[in-house]
Amino acid sequence: MSTGFAAEADPDLLAGKLYMNRLYFLLVLVLAISCSDKEEVAPPAPPSHPAMKYTELNGREVNFTQSQVLDVDNDGVNDFVFYVLPIGDPIFKQDKMRFLLGSLEHTLLFVDGTDNSSPILNKGAAISISNQLPFEWWEVSEVFLAEKITENDNSFHWEGAWKNASHQYISIQVKKNNLRYNGWVELSFDTAGQKLLLHKSGISLVGEREVKAGF
């Protein structure tokens, strides 16, 4: 006989609800585990260093009487020349022995101005295809390295950014078939011997690619 109170819940109905709750919990748990197991997408690898053509220069000397011409890509065409330019200055009564790197066909990286200086690079430094301000790539150009200045009384001193260079690198760029190929020359100065020493050159075999000095 009804008493007016709610009837006790059906045991089968309670069991069904409990089963559905458990099933829902299991589905959520499986979904969470599957999401956590997904592999993270790795960032794209940086481009590898391009293949290079290396030339051992074995300490070739550049001095007052001797220049050095380089065919850095070994195609039978001379690309760059290291040489010494003697300059007499009657106004200041000085004689200068100026060491230069020149090119008539390709480009060199320097600041255009009174000294045409080029960045002194250590091993691993990047050599970009584009300008590296304040340095810019210039065609038909020469780079001033260092010079010995002798006074009227025969005293002398050295000037120029490269005068103390020791196994450091200068940027070069060869243009061929409308592509630019970056490279470097490893060099040292011997001011006591009044000479420049060339150790090694490297030039990219792949156009339009950044390279690293010494690699």
Side-chain angles (χ1 to χ4, degrees):
M1 180 177 180
S2 173
T3 60
F5 294 96
E8 292 184 3
D10 186 343
D12 292 336
L13 181 60
L14 289 175
K17 288 183 177 180
L18 181 61
Y19 173 79
M20 291 301 295
N21 288 339
R22 287 177 177 176
L23 181 61
Y24 176 78
F25 174 78
L26 288 175
L27 289 175
V28 172
L29 181 61
V30 169
L31 181 60
I33 293 174
S34 64
C35 290
S36 65
D37 287 341
K38 287 184 179 180
E39 294 184 0
E40 294 184 2
V41 178
S48 60
H49 195 275
M52 303 285 288
K53 166 65 180 175
Y54 301 106
T55 303
E56 293 291 344
L57 302 175
N58 301 312
R60 288 191 199 176
E61 294 187 10
V62 181
N63 53 47
F64 185 72
T65 61
Q66 186 175 15
S67 301
Q68 294 292 344
V69 178
L70 303 185
D71 174 11
V72 293
D73 54 1
N74 197 31
D75 64 353
V77 178
N78 292 328
D79 301 307
F80 302 96
V81 57
F82 288 87
Y83 64 103
V84 176
L85 178 66
I87 300 174
D89 189 338
I91 297 177
F92 292 97
K93 297 181 180 180
Q94 295 174 333
D95 289 322
K96 299 179 180 180
M97 190 165 64
R98 181 168 294 177
F99 288 77
L100 300 164
L101 165 59
S103 171
L104 294 178
E105 297 291 336
H106 304 300
T107 52
L108 296 169
L109 187 66
F110 61 91
V111 175
D112 188 32
T114 56
D115 62 354
N116 284 18
S117 60
S118 186
I120 302 173
L121 304 179
N122 294 317
K123 189 170 185 177
I127 303 175
S128 175
I129 284 292
S130 58
N131 292 330
Q132 299 168 257
L133 297 176
F135 302 100
E136 298 180 70
W137 291 105
W138 292 86
E139 294 185 27
V140 190
S141 57
E142 64 181 20
V143 167
F144 168 60
L145 302 173
E147 64 184 359
K148 178 186 177 183
I149 301 176
T150 303
E151 306 292 345
N152 195 42
D153 61 0
N154 289 325
S155 63
F156 65 87
H157 66 280
W158 285 81
E159 293 184 359
W162 288 82
K163 64 182 180 181
N164 295 318
S166 177
H167 291 275
Q168 290 172 297
Y169 302 85
I170 190 165
S171 308
I172 58 175
Q173 189 178 88
V174 170
K175 286 192 171 183
K176 186 184 294 186
N177 300 324
N178 295 319
L179 294 175
R180 298 167 293 178
Y181 297 81
N182 274 11
W184 44 262
V185 179
E186 179 186 358
L187 56 85
S188 298
F189 255 97
D190 177 4
T191 54
Q194 303 182 80
K195 58 188 176 183
L196 170 65
L197 303 174
L198 307 181
H199 305 295
K200 190 175 183 179
S201 70
I203 193 74
S204 176
L205 296 177
V206 183
E208 305 298 321
R209 289 286 298 277
E210 178 179 292
V211 303
K212 292 183 178 180
F215 284 81

